[in-house]
Amino acid sequence: MQGSDRFAAFRSPVGRMVPLVAMGLIWQAVSATKLIDPSFLPSPLRIGHAMVDLLTGREICDNLFVTLARAAIGLALGSAAGVWLGLMMARSPKFRAYAAPIVGGTYSLPKSALIPLFILWFGIGTATTVCAVFLSCLLPMVVNTFQGVASTPRVLVWGAQALGARPREMLWQVFLPHALPDILTGLRVALGFSFVLAISSEMIASTNGIGKLIFMYGENGAYDYMFAAIACVVVVAFVIDRLLLLLTQKCLRWHESATERGPA
Amino acid sequence: MRAVTDEKAIVPKIQIQAVSKSYPGDKNPVLALRTVDLSINEGEFVSIVGPSGCGKSTLLYVLGGFLEADGKVLVDGKAIQGPGTDRGVVFQEYALFPWLTVRNNILYGLERGALAPEERARIADRLIGVIGLKGFEDRYPRELSGGMKQRVAIARTLACDPAILLLDEPFGALDAQTREVMQDELLRIWLETRKTVLMITHDVNEAVYLSNRICVMSARPGQIVEEFKIDLDRTIPRERLFTSDAFNKTRNEVWISVRQQALAAEKLNARV
């Protein structure tokens, strides 16, 4: 096909950088020609300088670490609780009757709207951020786990029972493995939410963390440093997301979605 | 009636007594099975044929212990308590665990048994050889063809050495050629092990080729309306058997019986 061949170059690792480099050049040009006031939109070169300055100091690393720790704790707790709740909802009609309306009602609520409430309860600091991350991760995990467990074909369940599986074993050997692709899909969504909520809650309810740092640079008009800090977040978030994708591929080698191993 | 109790089989291996099963429907419950009675002796191969949707799979699920039903289901004279490893089940949809390799699927039931790990591995290796999947031990089900998957499913069930095999349209999803190969394999395994088999099928040829006895089921609510004893020489090759008068005579009798039930089912549906 000719149409797709024309873009083949963009699919190589180097080729994929082309649009990013082009955007950087346009940005630089817009800045250099003062089309947009450079104090509002600093040029990539100035951001680069700021970045070098930031990376040689400890500030960015320390704050990034604080944020990642908060996000990781919230994500871990939210995912664990979400998997458990989703599993319970799928396996117990009684539990589902109670939980489903709550999940349905809160699913579309932007969790950041609750940050003021958490400030009231937990004050400024880690607890508030972790709580916001926890809540944002919980629902995608609940919904995806529920979907994965509830869609387990009955013949898989019966097949395991006929081979002597006990009820407790069914959970780990049938329901959770069957739900794993959905759970990992939920985890990727939750990972994205965890960054969003960690940073946005730090902006208004923290004394440290990368969110607070970005917010402070913005408040003080140090836009080049602000952009440099944002760039750091982008890179870290991208790398973590790719790592999760790699892990997913490794865990789901058995799944229909996995790439073929070639003819037998 | 011919006495079948002259040997040791005093109690039938399987006794299904007045089993009825209904499902909750939109308004009224739908009766899937109505007072089904069926006894199967040890070592017998019984097939159930009937129009689609007549509840023949339901009967197998009840016997497997997966569905509750009214009436009695006895194995060796004792009422069954849910699913058990004494009744191995092969489903039309294979029901392999997609996250386990061929070997681990076959080992799954064994790992719940009392055997030592070396013994389990030996059984798995032997079965992998029997089903002709040497070299595929570490493949996942998604990498196998339908026929290969069903072979693994059968091996997985045989690994636990159940006294009874329950086969739910085991070859229904396979193409005609693969189906014949698998039927021959099943026949060979049955001749070797003489397990008690209950097979659900809609393929009359398959039923006549494999069974000692065929039960024809009526349209919903399912009842056994006719039984055929099959007395064919299992040792002669398929081609000769299929072209023999004895085979064709039996096949036609069963086919006409099933067809009557199917036509009755259609009439019933047209009226509703």
Side-chain angles (χ1 to χ4, degrees), chain A residues 154-156 158-165 169 173-174 177-178 253-256 258-264, chain B residues 61 66-67 83-85 87 89 91 93 95-99 108-109 112 136 138-140 142-143 149 156-157 160:
Chain A
R154 66 177 188 179
V155 289
L156 272 192
W158 290 353
Q161 287 175 340
L163 292 167
E169 293 176 313
Q173 292 170 1
V174 179
H178 182 267
R253 267 179 308 148
W254 53 270
H255 196 246
E256 297 290 343
T259 46
E260 287 299 326
R261 227 198 284 182
Chain B
Y61 298 152
F66 310 125
L67 296 178
T85 46
R87 285 151 285 143
V89 189
F91 298 96
E93 310 92 324
L96 295 176
F97 302 118
W99 50 87
Y108 185 85
R112 257 136 288 278
F136 289 86
D138 300 321
R139 296 293 176 122
Y140 289 103
R142 71 173 176 91
E143 300 172 292
K149 280 185 205 167
R156 180 177 75 164
T157 302
C160 296

Side-chain angles (χ1 to χ4, degrees), chain B residues 25-73:
Chain B
D26 289 336
K27 283 184 205 145
N28 304 310
V30 180
L31 197 57
L33 294 173
R34 185 161 62 193
T35 52
V36 174
D37 288 292
L38 177 65
S39 281
I40 303 176
N41 289 320
E42 184 150 15
E44 232 187 334
F45 195 130
V46 175
S47 288
I48 294 181
V49 291
S52 46
C54 72
K56 46 193 196 297
S57 288
T58 303
L59 182 63
L60 184 131
Y61 298 152
V62 169
L63 183 51
F66 310 125
L67 296 178
E68 302 260 338
D70 302 324
K72 271 190 188 164
V73 179

Side-chain angles (χ1 to χ4, degrees), chain A residues 4-179:
Chain A
S4 59
D5 280 347
R6 267 198 292 164
F7 298 102
F10 286 102
R11 258 178 268 119
S12 72
V14 181
R16 268 185 293 194
M17 299 297 288
V18 172
L20 289 177
V21 173
M23 196 179 89
L25 288 175
I26 293 169
W27 187 346
Q28 182 69 34
V30 166
S31 233
T33 55
K34 299 206 161 58
L35 213 61
I36 298 172
D37 187 348
S39 54
F40 288 130
L41 185 71
S43 74
L45 275 179
R46 272 188 55 200
I47 295 170
H49 283 301
M51 183 92 114
V52 170
D53 188 34
L54 277 181
L55 288 179
T56 47
R58 289 194 53 84
E59 194 178 33
I60 192 91
C61 274
D62 289 351
N63 283 297
L64 200 54
F65 180 77
V66 167
T67 304
L68 286 179
R70 285 167 178 163
I73 293 168
L75 179 64
L77 293 177
S79 302
V83 168
W84 184 79
L85 284 171
L87 190 64
M88 288 288 288
M89 277 176 69
R91 296 302 306 146
S92 159
K94 211 171 172 183
F95 188 84
R96 175 157 79 243
Y98 287 111
I102 300 172
V103 170
T106 51
Y107 185 72
S108 44
L109 169 79
K111 307 304 172 292
S112 49
L114 296 175
I115 293 174
L117 187 67
F118 296 145
I119 297 176
L120 182 68
W121 287 346
F122 306 113
I124 302 288
T126 298
T128 292
T129 302
V130 168
C131 212
V133 173
F134 171 86
L135 215 61
S136 72
C137 296
L138 190 66
L139 286 171
M141 294 307 281
V142 170
V143 170
N144 279 282
T145 306
F146 172 78
Q147 161 72 19
V149 173
S151 65
T152 310
R154 66 177 188 179
V155 289
L156 272 192
V157 178
W158 290 353
Q161 287 175 340
L163 292 167
R166 285 175 284 270
R168 202 162 255 284
E169 293 176 313
M170 298 295 294
L171 212 63
W172 288 101
Q173 292 170 1
V174 179
F175 292 117
L176 284 176
H178 182 267

Side-chain angles (χ1 to χ4, degrees), chain B residues 110-129:
Chain B
L110 289 170
E111 278 162 359
R112 257 136 288 278
L115 297 173
E118 310 86 64
E119 181 68 2
R120 289 185 228 145
R122 209 184 51 74
I123 294 173
D125 281 338
R126 189 179 60 80
L127 282 167
I128 289 165

Side-chain angles (χ1 to χ4, degrees), chain A residues 233-253:
Chain A
V233 173
V234 168
V235 170
V236 169
F238 177 80
V239 168
I240 292 176
D241 183 61
R242 287 293 130 152
L243 286 178
L244 181 65
L245 267 187
L246 274 179
L247 180 79
T248 301
Q249 278 167 9
K250 217 171 146 52
C251 289
L252 297 184
R253 267 179 308 148

